[in-house]
Amino acid sequence: MSHPQPAGTPDATGSADLGDLTVLNPATEEVVAVVPAADAAAVDRAVTRATAAQTRWAALAPTDRARLLRRYADTVDTHVEELAALEVREAGHLPGNARWEAGNARDLLLYAAGGVERLTGRQIPVPGGWDVTFQEPLGVVGVIAPWNFPMPIAAWGAFPALAAGNAVVLKPAETTPLTALRLAELALDAGLPEHLFQVLPGHGRVAGRALVDHPGVAKIVFTGSTRTGREVMERCARQIKRVTLELGGKSPNIVFADADLKAAADPFSFLDNSGQDCCARTRVLVQESVYDEVADHLARELAAVVVGDPTDPATTMGPLISRQQVERVRSFVPDDAPALRGGAPDGPGFWFPPTVLTGERPDSAAAREEIFGPVAVLLPFTDEQDAIRLADDTPYGLSGSVWTRDLGRALRVTQAVRAGNLSVNSHSSVRYWTPFGGYRQSGVGRELGPDALTAFTETKNVFISTEGPAQ
Ligand code: TXE
C-alpha cells in the first residue's frame, strides 16, 4: 500500500510545486496568507547574519541574556490570544488547545531563562592540578519544525538553544509558517538582538536541505516523519553535525481488566489535535476479558464527538491539516474495514471521522504504521507478557500509557516497554520541564526537561597544572 504525503510537503523525489507557500485554513480551505519561500541563498544569508549575532549574544553577561528572554516571555504573554487565533486559522486547532500552545511557548521561555545562569560546568578532582568543564554554545542551530504543533515544537527547539547562547534559524512547515514568523517578530519587540532568532519559511527540499547542509550550522533539531528524519541524519553525518530527531510514533495504550476503563479508553487519547500527534495512543491494547466493554464505550464516545470548524464552541475535534493528509489517512481505512466510526462534515475543509479499527491483525499496516489522523486500532491481549510484546511490536518507541490498579504490574510494564515517555493511569506525555524523545525509530536525543540547554552545548574540559615551572 502506498501512503500519500501531506500537501505542500515535497518528498525526497517528489515534484511538488516549489513556489510561494499558500497557507489555507483547513476548516474552510480559504487562503489565510501567501508567504514567499526562502531559497538556498536566503538560508546562506540568514546563517551568515546569525553567526555574527551569536558571537555578540554569547558575549553578553548571563544575567542580561536571562533578562531578555524573560522580557520575551512577557511579550509572548501579552500576545497569547493573537498567537492562538493564528494557530486556529493556519492549523485548524481548537481555540483552547491553541491558547495552551501559546502559553507553552511562553512558559518554556521562562524555564529556559532560568537555565541561563545555571548552565554550569563541573570541577573534577585530578592529581597535579585542577580540572574544570565548561558548557559552551554550539553556534548557529537550525530548527526544522512540523505542522502538527507548529508553535510549541518550534519553541522546544529554539528557546533552549537561545538560552544556551546560540543563534537559531528556524524553518517552519510549508503549511504553517505564520505563528513562527510572529514569534520571531515578538522576539525583536522584546529587545532580543537582530538576527539572533530568524524564521525562514520554505520548502523542505529547498530551504530545509540548505539548512541541514550549511557548514555554518552546528546542529539540526528536526521534528517530522521518520523518513525525512533519516535523510536529515544522513546529511548531517557527512559533516558530523549534531542532530536531535523527534520522529514518528505508534504508541500503545495498555488497558488491563482492573483499570478505570472509562478513563483508560478516553478517545481523546488518540483524537486530540485530530490525531495529528506523535504521542497519540493509536494502539488501544485491551485485556481480552474487557474487550467488549471497552469497544462499547468507544462506540458511544465516538458517536458523541462533534467534528467541525474549531471556531464553533460545540466542536470537539477539528479538521486535518490538508487534503493530502486526509487521503493519507483514508488509505489506511478501507470503507469496508470493520470499525467503530463517528461522523464528519461534508463540504469544504479537510475532514475525517473519528475511527477505531476493530478487525486489524497486529502486523497490518494500520496497526504498525503512523497514520497521523483520528484513527486507532483496537487489539486484544491475554496477559502481561502478551501486552508488553504487542506494545513493542512496532518500529517506534515514543510514548504510551499503562492502565491498571496493580502498582507492581504498572512498574513492571513501564520498565519493560521500550519507549521514551510513558504514563501510568494517565495519558499525559509532554511537559516542558521533563525530558521528551523517542526510542528506536521515534528519534535520537531528547528535548525539554532539565538537560534542555545542555543539548545545545559542547562540553570543554580544561586541566590547569598546579605544578610550577621546573626550578
Ligand atoms: O513530514 P516531513 P510531512 C509524520 C506523520 C505525517 C508524515 C508526513 O506520520 O503523516 O510524517 O508529514 C521539512 N530536508 N509526522 O511530510 O516531510 C518539512 O518542510 C529538510 C510526524 O509533513 O518530515 C517540514 O518542515 N527538511 C511528526 C518538516 O521537515 C525537510 C510531525 C516535516 O516534514 C525535508 C509531522 C528535507 N529533505 C509529520 N523534507 C511528529 N514527529 O510529530 C521535508 N522537510
Side-chain angles (χ1 to χ4, degrees):
M1 194 188 312
S2 125
H3 300 295
Q5 298 299 307
T9 312
D11 63 26
T13 54
S15 58
D17 170 25
L18 295 182
D20 290 348
L21 308 173
T22 303
V23 180
L24 298 181
N25 180 332
T28 62
E29 301 185 41
E30 285 161 6
V31 175
V32 177
V34 177
V35 177
D39 58 12
V43 171
D44 184 47
R45 288 192 298 274
V47 173
T48 302
R49 292 190 298 260
T51 305
Q54 190 272 330
T55 308
R56 293 191 293 272
W57 177 241
L60 283 182
T63 318
D64 293 333
R65 277 190 275 137
R67 195 180 11 249
L68 282 167
L69 290 172
R70 282 195 290 270
R71 205 189 290 164
Y72 185 15
D74 289 344
T75 307
V76 171
D77 188 48
T78 55
H79 292 81
V80 162
E81 284 304 318
E82 182 202 331
L83 287 163
L86 214 47
E87 194 88 312
V88 172
R89 286 171 70 208
E90 75 169 341
H93 291 192
L94 299 189
N97 288 9
R99 263 182 224 114
W100 177 90
E101 289 161 39
N104 181 261
R106 171 203 59 213
D107 294 345
L108 176 60
L109 270 172
L110 286 174
Y111 180 69
V116 175
E117 291 155 305
R118 295 178 177 85
L119 197 54
T120 54
R122 296 195 287 186
Q123 176 269 314
I124 300 168
V126 290
W130 288 15
D131 193 282
V132 284
T133 68
F134 299 84
Q135 297 308 132
E136 297 190 340
L138 298 171
V140 178
V141 172
V143 177
I144 299 177
W147 43 264
N148 58 329
F149 291 105
M151 193 163 20
I153 294 178
W156 300 351
F159 296 164
L162 293 173
N166 302 279
V168 171
V169 178
L170 163 69
K171 195 207 80 66
E174 291 82 342
T175 42
T176 55
L178 301 181
T179 44
L181 283 168
R182 191 68 188 118
L183 281 175
E185 287 171 0
L186 295 177
L188 288 177
D189 292 352
L192 259 71
E194 219 187 350
H195 309 317
L196 185 70
F197 176 31
Q198 299 173 72
V199 172
L200 290 192
H203 295 277
R205 205 147 53 97
V206 180
R209 273 190 192 156
L211 199 55
V212 170
D213 290 344
H214 200 293
V217 173
K219 174 166 185 170
I220 292 289
V221 179
F222 171 85
T223 305
S225 63
T226 294
R227 186 177 70 159
T228 305
R230 184 175 294 117
E231 184 199 312
V232 168
M233 195 173 190
E234 283 169 3
R235 295 176 94 100
C236 284
R238 295 175 197 168
Q239 299 172 25
I240 320 290
K241 189 170 288 189
R242 280 76 183 122
V243 65
T244 295
L245 303 174
E246 299 293 354
L247 308 177
K250 189 74 181 175
S251 297
N253 176 18
I254 308 170
V255 183
F256 286 95
D258 68 340
D260 174 345
L261 296 183
K262 284 195 175 134
D266 176 359
F268 281 89
S269 61
F270 57 87
L271 295 181
D272 194 48
N273 205 28
S274 308
Q276 303 166 121
D277 180 344
C278 51
C279 292
R281 274 46 167 188
T282 50
R283 297 164 72 242
V284 188
L285 312 181
V286 180
Q287 199 153 22
E288 53 192 2
S289 59
V290 292
Y291 181 93
D292 290 343
E293 194 179 334
V294 167
D296 289 348
H297 171 72
L298 280 171
R300 282 192 301 276
E301 292 289 311
L302 292 196
V305 174
V306 181
V307 182
D309 192 310
T311 55
D312 181 341
T315 296
T316 56
M317 192 185 105
L320 299 190
I321 191 68
S322 63
R323 182 157 309 288
Q324 242 173 305
Q325 190 64 15
V326 173
E327 293 312 319
R328 177 183 157 86
V329 174
R330 203 190 306 282
S331 72
F332 287 95
V333 188
D335 287 344
D336 57 353
L340 315 168
R341 290 183 168 87
D346 295 326
F350 307 129
W351 309 107
F352 200 87
T355 305
V356 174
L357 294 164
T358 51
E360 294 299 319
R361 289 164 44 101
D363 60 354
S364 73
R368 284 174 59 84
E369 290 180 29
E370 184 173 60
I371 298 175
F372 231 54
V375 180
V377 294
L378 189 60
L379 297 168
F381 67 83
T382 52
D383 58 13
E384 202 173 302
Q385 286 314 311
D386 194 32
I388 293 166
R389 184 190 58 74
L390 265 178
D392 280 340
D393 189 21
T394 78
Y396 298 109
L398 190 53
S399 63
S401 304
V402 183
W403 290 81
T404 175
R405 291 189 167 97
D406 179 336
L407 179 60
R409 179 157 60 197
L411 295 179
R412 285 191 301 276
V413 175
T414 48
Q415 277 179 331
V417 170
R418 310 266 304 146
N421 297 83
L422 294 172
S423 53
V424 174
N425 296 331
S426 160
H427 287 305
S428 74
S429 287
V430 189
R431 293 178 187 80
Y432 59 81
W433 64 101
T434 59
F436 177 67
Y439 281 38
R440 300 184 284 171
Q441 291 190 24
S442 286
V444 170
R446 294 291 179 271
E447 294 189 280
L448 305 174
D451 301 324
L453 273 60
T454 312
F456 294 103
T457 62
E458 290 283 13
T459 302
K460 179 179 281 176
N461 189 72
V462 178
F463 169 73
I464 307 154
S465 172
T466 49
E467 287 162 15
Q471 298 296 317

